[in-house]
Amino acid sequence: MGQPEITIIGGGVVGLSVALGLLQAGHRVRVLDGADSDARASQGNFGLVWGQGKGWDFAPYANWTVDALAAWPAFSKTLKELSGLDVALDQSGGFEFFTDQREMDEFSAMLNTQQAHVGERFSHEVLDGDDLRSQMSGIGPNVVGATFSRMDGHVNPLRFLRALRVAVTKLGGQITSDAHVAKIAAHQQGGFDLTLTNDDKLGADKVLLCAGLGAMTLASDLGFRTKIRPQRGELLITEKLGERLPFISSTVRQVDEGGVQIGGTKADAGMDDSETLDVMAGLARHAVDVFPALASVRVIRAWGALRVMSPDGYPVYAQSTQHPGAYLITCHSGVTLASMHASRLVDWIDETSSAPNLEPFDEHRFAL
Amino acid sequence: MNIASRFNVLPDDRQTVQFTLDGEIVTAKQGISLAAALLAQSGTASRQTVNGAGRTAFCMMGVCFDCMVNVDGVPNTQACMVTVRDGMRVTRQIGLRPLEGSNDV
């Protein structure tokens, strides 16, 4: 096999999903992965495959998300065939629980708008607290209601990351760990020279920046204007339980191995990924509000992790106008969108006749 | 060469306590950990993993989690981290803990 013609900077969920799709399309791909000391969103995430609320005020994102949800079953099957790993996709429908009526009304209105963007490809229901409690035992009295969407679900997040790595390797992708790019130089006639911090030099026809928060400096070096910011989320992990919780929600969910993840907080704390006592306590209170039986379950781990946020929260898919062949690919929902990143995004990079119109996700929307 | 043991044997006159293990009465010396009492009573498994493998106390210092049993209705209790008490009701933990912890109260 010859020299990889495409270098992907970033070996998290986003970079590896794109790598997988490119390899399947017949490209030779190199993935430069960082180190465990980096802010790795892919190792702190919640594993949601989730549509509710996504793109309610931005129709292209609403549609892209619904495409992703619909493509997940086939994507997880492909992953299993390639990696031998079952990412435990469960898309049996997801709940957003509310303990505040006003918040629930606001969210329901957002879902109505989202529904209008995508029509019958999406569905949602709004259940009041008593309806919910009559359908599902164990929901707490403080829950005023929930919204439900039947395409929402989750995967085992860490196994998903591993499955991607195994699949990419199996297809001949070269993953280099502990690789940090210090400098990218663009040739006049096209192509790039990359210099790593250990002074290794690599050449590439195309460079894809998929490094999440680690992409900030390189992105501006390549002429991109998107400002990516960290948003901290904290989460709790409980001991493993012998029974299954009767629901999947975006804030309380049980992985296939039995542990319950509780999360969903948002804070602007710069690059600080610490966990904080008051936020952890609030998460625990929310989980017990939703499902009081969790009160006797121990929390065994807690951590903070940094989301990767563009200024408006939507994905950015952009090719550099200054240096064609350099791409910025960044988003918050790297798990949900993985099924698109491994398929239709590749058509866009390859500029095939079936390429999706990703113009709404270009970064010119951030023009001053 | 004979190196003096640093292992202190409890005096024989130490008082005893009684607890139950899956309903059977077990006698143990007062002041020892529940894990030590389980090991002194028998070498059989005091818990079963999710895959059905037998386990019992190993590290004796709260690290390995192989001594987890149900103590007075509280599952996933590390037996090496609690002192044996008179009247304690201990059950072997089989597989993962249930959601409702109090299966023995």
Side-chain angles (χ1 to χ4, degrees):
Chain A
M1 191 160 40
Q3 169 87 356
E5 85 258 23
I6 300 177
T7 293
I8 298 177
I9 301 174
V13 161
V14 174
L16 290 171
S17 299
V18 182
L20 181 63
L22 288 166
L23 288 160
Q24 286 178 304
H27 294 286
R28 296 185 308 276
V29 177
R30 183 203 314 275
V31 178
L32 300 176
D33 192 17
D36 282 343
S37 51
D38 295 329
R40 289 181 183 272
S42 296
Q43 290 187 1
N45 79 82
F46 217 60
L48 293 173
V49 175
W50 208 259
Q52 282 186 72
K54 302 262 182 79
W56 70 275
D57 55 353
F58 189 51
Y61 185 41
N63 279 287
W64 186 241
T65 297
V66 170
D67 289 345
L69 295 175
W72 248 100
F75 178 56
S76 77
K77 199 161 154 268
T78 303
L79 266 180
K80 190 174 183 181
E81 282 162 10
L82 287 169
S83 69
L85 292 166
D86 183 354
V87 300
L89 173 69
D90 180 354
Q91 247 179 308
S92 55
F95 292 87
E96 300 277 3
F97 294 110
F98 293 90
T99 52
D100 180 295
Q101 186 67 47
R102 196 178 47 85
E103 273 178 31
M104 180 160 129
D105 293 344
E106 279 172 16
F107 192 70
S108 304
M110 284 158 61
L111 290 183
N112 285 334
T113 316
Q114 185 182 0
Q115 182 82 59
H117 294 317
V118 286
E120 285 175 10
R121 301 167 67 227
F122 176 79
S123 80
H124 76 279
E125 292 167 48
V126 180
L127 301 152
D128 73 32
D130 291 336
D131 279 351
L132 192 60
R133 279 180 285 274
S134 70
Q135 287 179 27
M136 197 192 299
S137 63
I139 301 296
N142 294 342
V143 175
V144 297
T147 59
F148 175 80
S149 181
R150 65 179 159 78
M151 285 171 89
D152 286 342
H154 63 182
V155 293
N156 182 308
L158 291 179
R159 203 181 309 129
F160 173 48
L161 183 60
R162 192 163 144 244
L164 282 172
R165 280 185 75 101
V166 173
V168 164
T169 306
K170 187 143 294 181
L171 290 178
Q174 301 173 20
I175 304 176
T176 309
S177 295
D178 209 1
H180 293 94
V181 178
K183 207 176 121 214
I184 304 177
H187 294 296
Q188 283 294 331
Q189 66 277 25
F192 300 87
D193 283 328
L194 281 66
T195 309
L196 304 191
T197 49
N198 66 2
D199 283 336
D200 278 1
K201 291 192 182 356
L202 308 165
D205 296 344
K206 286 183 178 177
V207 173
L208 276 52
L209 263 182
C210 303
L213 295 169
M216 288 187 274
T217 310
L218 292 173
S220 72
D221 289 352
L222 286 170
F224 293 106
R225 63 160 71 96
T226 301
K227 298 276 180 270
I228 304 157
R229 70 189 153 89
Q231 182 191 61
R232 183 167 71 192
E234 296 186 38
L235 60 111
L236 310 178
I237 309 292
T238 74
E239 56 193 344
K240 293 171 184 169
L241 304 174
E243 301 105 311
R244 307 301 306 163
L245 293 189
F247 58 82
I248 301 169
S249 96
S250 72
T251 54
V252 181
R253 55 172 291 262
Q254 186 179 29
V255 294
D256 57 320
E257 290 146 337
V260 178
Q261 298 196 2
I262 302 159
T265 64
K266 293 172 182 171
D268 292 320
M271 290 300 286
D272 179 359
D273 69 354
S274 330
E275 59 284 343
T276 56
L277 191 59
D278 57 331
V279 171
M280 289 191 289
L283 283 171
R285 205 176 300 118
H286 167 74
V288 172
D289 271 343
V290 169
F291 204 69
L294 288 171
S296 71
V297 177
R298 292 182 189 84
V299 169
I300 55 169
R301 277 192 292 281
W303 67 73
L306 301 175
R307 295 185 186 88
V308 180
M309 299 303 283
S310 66
D312 55 12
Y314 307 129
V316 175
Y317 307 122
Q319 183 171 188
S320 171
T321 43
Q322 245 171 290
H323 305 292
Y327 296 80
L328 177 63
I329 296 165
T330 188
C331 70
H332 158 51
S333 295
V335 177
T336 302
L337 298 178
S339 59
M340 288 294 99
H341 294 166
S343 59
R344 307 211 63 211
L345 189 73
V346 171
D347 292 333
W348 174 76
I349 293 167
D350 279 345
E351 298 176 17
T352 67
S353 54
S354 59
N357 173 23
L358 296 182
E359 197 272 339
F361 297 106
D362 193 274
E363 61 166 12
H364 60 55
R365 66 186 196 263
F366 306 129
L368 293 173
Chain B
M1 192 168 65
N2 184 22
I3 299 170
S5 170
R6 296 183 191 183
F7 195 87
N8 296 323
V9 179
L10 288 172
D12 272 342
D13 59 357
R14 171 82 63 121
Q15 284 194 332
T16 58
V17 296
Q18 285 193 324
F19 66 97
T20 58
L21 175 61
D22 288 332
E24 272 182 53
I25 293 171
V26 180
T27 305
K29 285 193 175 158
Q30 199 169 48
I32 68 172
S33 72
L34 175 57
L38 292 170
L39 288 175
Q41 190 255 351
S42 140
T44 58
S46 50
R47 80 171 181 102
Q48 232 174 54
T49 67
V50 180
N51 304 321
R55 293 279 193 275
T56 192
F58 176 68
C59 78
M60 306 300 282
M61 59 183 196
V63 174
C64 77
F65 289 80
D66 265 337
C67 63
M68 293 192 302
V69 287
N70 185 310
V71 175
D72 294 331
V74 181
N76 281 352
T77 302
Q78 288 174 282
C80 69
M81 293 286 103
V82 295
T83 302
V84 71
R85 288 185 313 269
D86 221 13
M88 212 175 217
R89 280 170 304 162
V90 181
T91 54
R92 290 186 173 86
Q93 188 161 323
I94 309 301
L96 297 178
R97 64 157 289 177
L99 178 59
E100 304 285 352
S102 306
N103 57 1
D104 188 43
V105 179

